[in-house]
Amino acid sequence: MRIGVHPNNLHLRLARLWPGAFADLQPIFVSYAEGGDTAALLESGEIDLGGTGSTPPLEADMRGLGVEYIAASAPRPANGAIFVRSGSPIGSVAELKGRRISLIDGSFHTYLLARSLEGEGLSLPDVERIESGARDALADLLEGRVDAWVAMSPRLEKALERDDVRPIVRCGAAIPNRSLFWTLQRNGLSAAETRAIVSELSRIGTDIAADPRTAAKLLASGDRGGTDIDAWEKVVRSRDFTVFPIDDEIIAEQQEEADTLLRHGHFDKPIVLERSEMTK
């Protein structure tokens, strides 16, 4: 099985490094740069399984690719926040109207921003979204090229320790922020394969929770961003690595997100999600 691994999905990033992971599925771990590339890699057959936040599979369904949800993590309320400069006059989400917001558009950042704005009677068109891409989003914020920044781990933890930026909203106040593990229906994974995937993701998650220091060492060993072991251990300890099969609650959450992004004009047509026979 070809398992996609990108830097922002820590569960699969650790699975690639964890001894014996997915051994029964004869894994080939395929590294790639961005979670937003997952759908294209699944579509081309370069990978059979990917892990992302909640938004990329909805983007894939918008393209008519036929997403097959396999598993989900527990909510990760600490893994996202919207920051402004400490000296900024912006004191709340309501004051983001007309402002420039740095984010990875099409990721959970978009949903976090949409739900946060909606709580203040605003919508995505009320702000200017600036794709961060490979840019240094923190530098863009500090140097005034953007007015706010949607951040996630591990940069989030570092930002929280700074005195020149401050959060105005945290993820848990707006969205569940789960990791989702998914494929496309066309890839034809069997029920036995999906059960094996869920079981192995769950086992690895239990092992990570039992030994966060080892997990931190593995993450630090391949980190080109310079995050050290102690910082990674804080990240690992801050999240719940529990994984379970897709159920009606997760599908309902995804449907709520799809409907929200439609209301905000991010999607131009409705998405109707249903659980497949494989996941029932």
Side-chain angles (χ1 to χ4, degrees):
M1 178 169 290
R2 299 176 67 84
I3 300 171
V5 181
H6 64 88
N8 292 328
N9 189 277
L10 297 189
H11 207 114
L12 291 179
R13 186 170 165 180
L14 280 165
R16 181 174 63 85
L17 303 168
W18 211 262
F22 291 96
D24 291 344
L25 293 172
Q26 301 178 25
I28 298 171
F29 291 99
V30 179
S31 297
Y32 59 104
E34 298 286 349
D37 298 330
T38 303
L41 293 170
L42 288 167
E43 184 180 15
S44 67
E46 293 178 62
I47 62 174
D48 303 305
L49 172 71
T52 67
S54 58
T55 310
L58 295 175
E59 299 273 1
D61 262 335
M62 279 297 297
R63 293 174 51 200
L65 295 183
V67 168
E68 186 80 54
Y69 291 98
I70 295 175
S73 77
R76 291 173 173 167
N79 188 38
I82 302 176
F83 284 86
V84 297
R85 292 181 296 279
S86 290
S88 170
I90 299 170
S92 68
V93 173
E95 295 171 65
L96 290 177
K97 185 174 183 179
R99 303 287 190 164
R100 293 164 59 85
I101 319 295
S102 174
L103 76 168
I104 301 173
D105 215 3
S107 73
F108 84 86
H109 294 191
T110 306
Y111 187 39
L112 172 58
L113 180 59
R115 285 294 298 270
S116 300
L117 291 169
E118 195 167 73
E120 300 293 340
L122 301 173
S123 64
L124 288 175
D126 289 319
V127 301
E128 183 179 355
R129 288 178 278 171
I130 306 297
E131 176 61 50
S132 60
R135 298 179 58 86
D136 185 339
L138 176 57
D140 283 346
L141 177 61
L142 291 174
E143 294 168 17
R145 288 184 289 275
V146 298
D147 302 296
W149 165 43
V150 184
M152 62 183 172
S153 296
R155 300 198 74 192
L156 169 66
E157 285 75 16
K158 292 182 178 180
L160 289 170
E161 296 174 354
R162 301 177 66 101
D163 58 11
D164 51 3
V165 296
R166 56 182 169 82
I168 57 171
V169 68
R170 297 295 298 270
C171 211
I175 64 173
N177 193 30
R178 302 179 191 269
S179 285
L180 293 172
F181 304 92
W182 51 288
T183 186
L184 300 182
Q185 295 168 8
R186 67 181 70 182
N187 291 338
L189 296 189
S190 69
E193 286 174 318
T194 61
R195 286 194 296 270
I197 290 167
V198 175
S199 177
E200 189 64 350
L201 287 169
S202 178
R203 182 191 71 80
I204 294 166
T206 299
D207 286 353
I208 292 168
D211 193 357
R213 187 66 177 177
T214 292
K217 289 177 180 177
L218 291 171
L219 290 167
S221 67
D223 187 352
R224 297 179 180 178
T227 303
D228 63 24
I229 294 171
D230 290 341
W232 271 121
E233 187 170 358
K234 289 181 182 179
V235 173
V236 173
R237 290 184 180 277
S238 73
R239 64 175 60 193
D240 186 340
F241 280 88
T242 303
V243 170
F244 43 85
I246 289 298
D247 59 18
D248 289 333
E249 179 183 357
I250 307 302
I251 295 300
E253 286 179 3
Q254 289 296 98
Q255 186 66 64
E256 181 179 0
E257 177 172 350
D259 295 345
T260 299
L261 293 178
L262 178 66
R263 286 197 304 274
H264 284 253
H266 183 74
F267 290 156
D268 59 9
K269 61 183 178 182
I271 299 173
V272 179
L273 299 178
E274 297 179 1
R275 290 178 63 195
S276 73
E277 291 299 321
M278 186 179 295
T279 60
K280 291 181 179 178

